[in-house]
mmCIF file of all heavy atoms in Angstrom:
data_model
loop_
_atom_site.group_PDB
_atom_site.id
_atom_site.type_symbol
_atom_site.label_atom_id
_atom_site.label_comp_id
_atom_site.label_asym_id
_atom_site.label_seq_id
_atom_site.Cartn_x
_atom_site.Cartn_y
_atom_site.Cartn_z
ATOM 1 N N ARG A 25 58.409 32.959 192.793
ATOM 2 C CA ARG A 25 59.237 33.463 191.613
ATOM 3 C C ARG A 25 60.607 33.778 191.952
ATOM 4 O O ARG A 25 61.506 33.633 191.169
ATOM 5 C CB ARG A 25 58.510 34.728 190.951
ATOM 6 C CG ARG A 25 57.248 34.340 190.338
ATOM 7 C CD ARG A 25 56.752 35.470 189.477
ATOM 8 N NE ARG A 25 55.479 35.143 188.953
ATOM 9 C CZ ARG A 25 54.340 35.784 189.108
ATOM 10 N NH1 ARG A 25 54.349 36.975 189.725
ATOM 11 N NH2 ARG A 25 53.257 35.453 188.567
ATOM 12 N N GLY A 26 60.889 34.292 193.152
ATOM 13 C CA GLY A 26 62.143 34.682 193.588
ATOM 14 C C GLY A 26 62.708 35.830 192.808
ATOM 15 O O GLY A 26 62.145 36.247 191.747
ATOM 16 N N LEU A 27 63.676 36.534 193.333
ATOM 17 C CA LEU A 27 64.191 37.794 192.641
ATOM 18 C C LEU A 27 65.705 37.422 192.462
ATOM 19 O O LEU A 27 66.390 36.892 193.305
ATOM 20 C CB LEU A 27 64.030 39.024 193.555
ATOM 21 C CG LEU A 27 62.612 39.416 193.768
ATOM 22 C CD1 LEU A 27 62.518 40.380 194.857
ATOM 23 C CD2 LEU A 27 61.997 39.867 192.485
ATOM 24 N N PRO A 28 66.328 37.858 191.407
ATOM 25 C CA PRO A 28 67.660 37.465 190.997
ATOM 26 C C PRO A 28 68.621 38.054 192.162
ATOM 27 O O PRO A 28 68.463 39.195 192.690
ATOM 28 C CB PRO A 28 67.962 38.269 189.790
ATOM 29 C CG PRO A 28 66.568 38.547 189.230
ATOM 30 C CD PRO A 28 65.621 38.691 190.319
ATOM 31 N N ARG A 29 69.623 37.284 192.539
ATOM 32 C CA ARG A 29 70.727 37.599 193.382
ATOM 33 C C ARG A 29 70.242 37.844 194.879
ATOM 34 O O ARG A 29 70.892 38.416 195.529
ATOM 35 C CB ARG A 29 71.625 38.666 192.873
ATOM 36 C CG ARG A 29 72.129 38.352 191.436
ATOM 37 C CD ARG A 29 73.102 39.434 190.999
ATOM 38 N NE ARG A 29 72.877 40.862 191.252
ATOM 39 C CZ ARG A 29 72.138 41.698 190.501
ATOM 40 N NH1 ARG A 29 71.586 41.179 189.346
ATOM 41 N NH2 ARG A 29 72.060 42.964 190.771
ATOM 42 N N THR A 30 69.057 37.352 195.164
ATOM 43 C CA THR A 30 68.452 37.558 196.510
ATOM 44 C C THR A 30 67.940 36.308 197.094
ATOM 45 O O THR A 30 67.527 35.346 196.334
ATOM 46 C CB THR A 30 67.399 38.643 196.567
ATOM 47 O OG1 THR A 30 66.405 38.171 195.797
ATOM 48 C CG2 THR A 30 67.885 39.975 195.991
ATOM 49 N N GLU A 31 67.800 36.255 198.413
ATOM 50 C CA GLU A 31 67.067 35.177 199.098
ATOM 51 C C GLU A 31 66.043 35.907 199.987
ATOM 52 O O GLU A 31 66.501 36.941 200.584
ATOM 53 C CB GLU A 31 67.979 34.346 199.941
ATOM 54 C CG GLU A 31 68.957 33.450 199.065
ATOM 55 C CD GLU A 31 69.895 32.573 199.877
ATOM 56 O OE1 GLU A 31 69.492 32.310 201.129
ATOM 57 O OE2 GLU A 31 70.887 32.137 199.446
ATOM 58 N N THR A 32 64.829 35.341 200.088
ATOM 59 C CA THR A 32 63.853 36.015 200.884
ATOM 60 C C THR A 32 63.107 35.002 201.808
ATOM 61 O O THR A 32 62.857 33.899 201.396
ATOM 62 C CB THR A 32 62.781 36.694 199.920
ATOM 63 O OG1 THR A 32 63.368 37.495 199.134
ATOM 64 C CG2 THR A 32 61.700 37.459 200.834
ATOM 65 N N ASP A 33 62.867 35.500 202.939
ATOM 66 C CA ASP A 33 62.261 34.702 204.008
ATOM 67 C C ASP A 33 61.095 35.492 204.494
ATOM 68 O O ASP A 33 61.304 36.639 204.877
ATOM 69 C CB ASP A 33 63.152 34.131 205.169
ATOM 70 C CG ASP A 33 62.432 33.450 206.195
ATOM 71 O OD1 ASP A 33 61.883 32.381 205.937
ATOM 72 O OD2 ASP A 33 62.347 33.892 207.341
ATOM 73 N N ILE A 34 59.867 34.902 204.464
ATOM 74 C CA ILE A 34 58.591 35.696 204.952
ATOM 75 C C ILE A 34 58.041 34.816 206.050
ATOM 76 O O ILE A 34 57.836 33.634 205.928
ATOM 77 C CB ILE A 34 57.712 35.838 203.928
ATOM 78 C CG1 ILE A 34 58.270 36.707 202.693
ATOM 79 C CG2 ILE A 34 56.409 36.576 204.383
ATOM 80 C CD1 ILE A 34 57.504 36.872 201.527
ATOM 81 N N SER A 35 57.808 35.613 207.124
ATOM 82 C CA SER A 35 57.219 34.927 208.389
ATOM 83 C C SER A 35 55.894 35.795 208.788
ATOM 84 O O SER A 35 55.892 36.926 208.580
ATOM 85 C CB SER A 35 58.193 34.790 209.569
ATOM 86 O OG SER A 35 58.544 36.096 209.841
ATOM 87 N N VAL A 36 55.010 35.098 209.442
ATOM 88 C CA VAL A 36 53.732 35.664 209.882
ATOM 89 C C VAL A 36 53.530 35.364 211.345
ATOM 90 O O VAL A 36 53.760 34.150 211.725
ATOM 91 C CB VAL A 36 52.572 35.144 209.030
ATOM 92 C CG1 VAL A 36 51.305 35.810 209.586
ATOM 93 C CG2 VAL A 36 52.739 35.442 207.593
ATOM 94 N N ASP A 37 53.277 36.351 212.056
ATOM 95 C CA ASP A 37 53.028 36.312 213.548
ATOM 96 C C ASP A 37 51.747 37.143 213.858
ATOM 97 O O ASP A 37 52.039 38.277 213.920
ATOM 98 C CB ASP A 37 54.254 36.673 214.341
ATOM 99 C CG ASP A 37 54.027 36.463 215.813
ATOM 100 O OD1 ASP A 37 53.059 35.753 216.240
ATOM 101 O OD2 ASP A 37 54.822 36.999 216.612
ATOM 102 N N GLY A 38 50.660 36.549 213.894
ATOM 103 C CA GLY A 38 49.403 37.318 214.099
ATOM 104 C C GLY A 38 49.217 38.153 212.763
ATOM 105 O O GLY A 38 49.131 37.630 211.623
ATOM 106 N N ASP A 39 49.091 39.424 213.018
ATOM 107 C CA ASP A 39 48.916 40.399 211.943
ATOM 108 C C ASP A 39 50.174 41.126 211.598
ATOM 109 O O ASP A 39 50.154 42.158 211.011
ATOM 110 C CB ASP A 39 47.802 41.460 212.233
ATOM 111 C CG ASP A 39 46.364 40.907 211.913
ATOM 112 O OD1 ASP A 39 46.338 39.935 211.132
ATOM 113 O OD2 ASP A 39 45.378 41.405 212.372
#
Side-chain angles (χ1 to χ4, degrees):
R25 293 188 181 126
L27 297 168
R29 303 186 321 271
T30 65
E31 292 181 20
T32 304
D33 176 62
I34 299 177
S35 60
V36 178
D37 182 15
D39 275 342

